[in-house]
Amino acid sequence: MTDTIFLAGIEIFGRHGCSEFERQQEQLFIVDAELYLDLRRAGKTDDLGDTIDYVQVIRDIKKIVGGTPRNLIETVAQDICEILLRKYFLLNGLKITLRKPSPPVEEKFGGAAVQIVRHR
């Protein structure tokens, strides 16, 4: 059995991309996170210690997306997964969707995104 905590639409500015422009000019990234864990105990105890503090998870995600520039959003999403799985022992797995809504390309489109699912 797996329960889920959803964190939707986390907006963070970062400098990820292959072009020099993307490394110099901050751009918006949007992260959705699904955290898979057993929430039965937290549901009974009403104690934050029996779940994952999503405020802290959001801070961790912001450090990664707002941190060291990467060429690929795939790498940024993978970094998020690795850090969260390493830090939060209650996590059984997670799904990270990382969107780059306005990449600097000539064509008009709704942006680029990657979605990575990892389990213990």
Side-chain angles (χ1 to χ4, degrees), residues 1 3 37-51 90:
M1 171 190 256
D3 303 315
L37 66 157
D38 188 338
L39 294 171
R40 286 178 286 191
R41 183 176 174 97
K44 290 178 183 176
T45 66
D46 197 30
D47 185 339
L48 184 59
D50 291 327
T51 187
L90 291 177

Side-chain angles (χ1 to χ4, degrees), residues 8-74:
I10 305 164
E11 296 185 2
I12 308 162
F13 284 88
R15 298 176 187 269
H16 308 289
C18 293
S19 73
E20 189 61 34
F21 173 79
E22 292 172 296
R23 295 300 184 101
Q24 305 245 337
Q25 181 70 35
E26 279 193 332
Q27 55 191 309
L28 178 65
F29 293 86
I30 301 171
V31 179
D32 298 321
E34 294 183 21
L35 310 177
Y36 307 132
L37 66 157
D38 188 338
L39 294 171
R40 286 178 286 191
R41 183 176 174 97
K44 290 178 183 176
T45 66
D46 197 30
D47 185 339
L48 184 59
D50 291 327
T51 187
I52 294 174
D53 183 350
Y54 60 79
V55 173
Q56 186 57 51
V57 171
I58 291 169
R59 286 184 187 136
D60 293 334
I61 292 170
K62 287 181 85 169
K63 284 180 191 173
I64 297 164
V65 177
T68 304
R70 304 291 191 186
N71 288 329
L72 304 176
I73 57 175
E74 291 88 333

